[in-house]
């Protein structure tokens, strides 16, 4: 059997659509052998790689909300501190290393000083998740092995090429930033978010500032995505329609879940072909030797 890789992109609360993708893939009996993720895609991918069921992943995300962000950052390099996030990640994923996970996992970050993409696939999982989700301005950079790491979405928001690099024969990718709505027609950052973030973001028009930051980053990400699609496209690219969901819009969970499932079923035929192809045993070397001999004779 050949291996299936699943690449889950970043996008804040939009990334909840990945849970719908996992649920629909499960219904189609498609299970990834390798998971690669960026930012929220890395966090949800880590839960999946740790062996959590889709139901458990959904339960954890629904129960968390934005209060996990409600701590101060002493360095002043980010809007929120990470103390509560660290505790939550240890509770959900466990105090594990990549080597101990049920499925192979890798997450993507960016070295702030060398400006290089960094693939994290060894050592403590929680440390890597903090790095891949260190969205500039929201969280401070994460110091790791002498490097300052930030959100991998800066250079590679949908890391399907990393899945290929790590040995996946077939790759399914999910981009939650493909569809975008008009700016400023509503509070895209806040939506129906919790009071803590609503009050914080409303000060001095921060909601609109974050809408601009998010859109600016998305424009930059598009250039990288188009180049990678030309170089080594995934077998199937899923694009849930979650453009109306803001960075912290956690109460759009149900809409994101439905959008993720809809994106999978829109590609059902392609995915079933991929599943069946991956299930076939590889041809033994002797088969290819005989075939080459036959072709030379003819």
């Amino acid at each position: 059997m050949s291996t299936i890789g699943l690449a889950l992109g970043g996008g804040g609360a939009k990334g909840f659509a990945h849970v719908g993708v996992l649920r629909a893939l499960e219904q189609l009996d498609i299970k990834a052998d390798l998971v690669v993720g960026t930012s929220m895609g890395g966090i949800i991918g880590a839960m999946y790689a740790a062996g959590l069921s889709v139901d458990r992943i959904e339960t954890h995300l629904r129960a968390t909300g934005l209060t996990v962000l409600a701590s101060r950052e002493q360095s002043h390099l980010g809007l929120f501190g990470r103390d509560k996030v660290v505790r939550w990640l240890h509770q959900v994923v466990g105090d594990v290393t990549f080597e101990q996970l049920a499925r192979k996992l890798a997450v993507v970050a960016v070295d702030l000083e060398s400006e290089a993409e960094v693939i994290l696939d060894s050592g403590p999982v929680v440390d890597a998740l903090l790095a891949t989700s260190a969205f500039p301005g929201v969280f401070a950079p994460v110091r790791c092995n002498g490097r300052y790491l930030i959100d991998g979405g800066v250079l590679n928001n949908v890391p399907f090429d990393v899945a290929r690099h790590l040995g996946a024969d077939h790759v399914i990718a999910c981009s939650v930033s493909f569809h975008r709505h008009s700016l400023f027609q509503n509070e895209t950052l806040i939506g129906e978010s919790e009071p803590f973030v609503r009050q914080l973001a409303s000060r001095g028009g921060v909601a609109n500032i974050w809408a601009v930051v998010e859109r600016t980053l998305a424009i930059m990400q598009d250039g990288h995505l188009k180049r990678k699609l030309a170089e080594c496209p995934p077998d199937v690219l899923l694009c849930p329609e979650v453009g109306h969901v803001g960075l912290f819009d956690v109460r759009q969970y149900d809409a994101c879940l439905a959008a993720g499932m809809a994106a999978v079923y829109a590609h059902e035929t392609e995915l079933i072909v991929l599943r069946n192809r991956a299930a076939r045993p590889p041809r033994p070397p002797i088969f290819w030797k005989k075939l080459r001999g036959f072709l030379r004779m003819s």
Side-chain angles (χ1 to χ4, degrees):
M1 293 176 62
S2 49
T3 59
I4 295 177
L6 179 62
L8 303 177
K14 293 180 178 70
F16 291 158
H18 295 318
V19 182
V21 167
L22 291 174
R23 187 175 297 285
L25 290 177
E26 190 176 76
Q27 291 172 356
L28 295 178
D29 196 27
I30 298 173
K31 296 179 175 62
D33 306 290
L34 161 68
V35 186
V36 181
T38 295
S39 200
M40 180 61 81
I43 291 173
I44 293 176
M47 295 186 201
Y48 182 64
L52 274 67
S53 68
V54 178
D55 287 342
R56 285 277 305 283
I57 294 173
E58 181 175 348
T59 298
H60 280 301
L61 292 175
R62 283 188 184 277
T64 301
L66 289 172
T67 53
V68 74
L69 301 179
S71 59
R72 295 186 181 279
E73 172 55 50
Q74 300 301 322
S75 72
H76 304 295
L77 294 175
L79 188 61
F80 299 113
R82 286 190 293 263
D83 292 344
K84 290 187 178 181
V85 177
V86 170
R87 289 197 294 271
W88 180 74
L89 287 173
H90 277 291
Q91 175 189 348
V92 172
V93 180
D95 187 17
V96 295
T97 64
F98 282 86
E99 294 78 12
Q100 294 171 316
L101 295 172
R103 288 182 173 86
K104 184 172 177 59
L105 171 73
V107 299
V108 177
V110 170
D111 186 325
L112 190 58
E113 294 185 304
S114 71
E115 304 177 14
E117 180 179 327
V118 178
I119 300 171
L120 302 170
D121 61 355
S122 63
V125 172
V126 169
D127 291 352
L129 296 182
L130 293 172
T132 190
S133 60
F135 190 93
V138 177
F139 293 114
V142 174
R143 186 166 175 80
C144 180
N145 296 325
R147 300 179 295 191
Y148 289 93
L149 302 181
I150 59 172
D151 195 309
V154 172
L155 291 179
N156 195 352
N157 199 43
V158 192
F160 48 82
D161 58 319
V162 177
R164 294 271 192 214
H165 173 73
L166 294 177
D169 300 299
H170 311 282
V171 177
I172 302 166
C174 181
S175 171
V176 294
S177 301
F178 187 83
H179 299 282
R180 295 201 280 271
H181 285 208
S182 298
L183 287 178
F184 313 130
Q185 59 185 5
N186 52 42
E187 296 183 12
T188 54
L189 170 71
I190 307 170
E192 294 297 323
S193 61
E194 297 174 19
F196 170 79
V197 176
R198 185 185 303 119
Q199 293 170 12
L200 183 64
S202 64
R203 296 174 187 170
V206 175
N208 284 341
I209 292 174
W210 276 114
V212 172
V213 170
E214 187 179 1
R215 178 60 59 87
T216 302
L217 185 58
I219 292 169
M220 294 189 300
Q221 289 169 344
D222 279 354
H224 296 298
L225 179 61
K226 289 174 182 176
R227 176 174 56 81
K228 290 178 184 294
L229 283 171
E231 293 173 352
C232 57
D235 294 271
V236 180
L237 177 61
L238 308 173
C239 300
E241 296 193 23
V242 289
H244 62 288
V245 179
L247 187 66
F248 294 147
D249 207 353
V250 296
R251 295 194 183 181
Q252 293 281 355
Y253 189 95
D254 289 324
C256 291
L257 188 73
M261 295 189 69
V264 169
Y265 281 105
H267 292 271
E268 181 177 1
T269 301
E270 299 165 69
L271 289 166
I272 289 174
V273 169
L274 182 150
R275 179 197 67 193
N276 294 341
R277 188 179 300 152
R280 294 177 193 147
R283 296 285 191 180
I286 189 66
F287 170 84
W288 298 113
K289 184 176 181 180
K290 288 182 177 180
L291 179 60
R292 286 194 295 269
F294 173 79
L295 292 174
R296 281 198 294 268
M297 290 174 59
S298 59

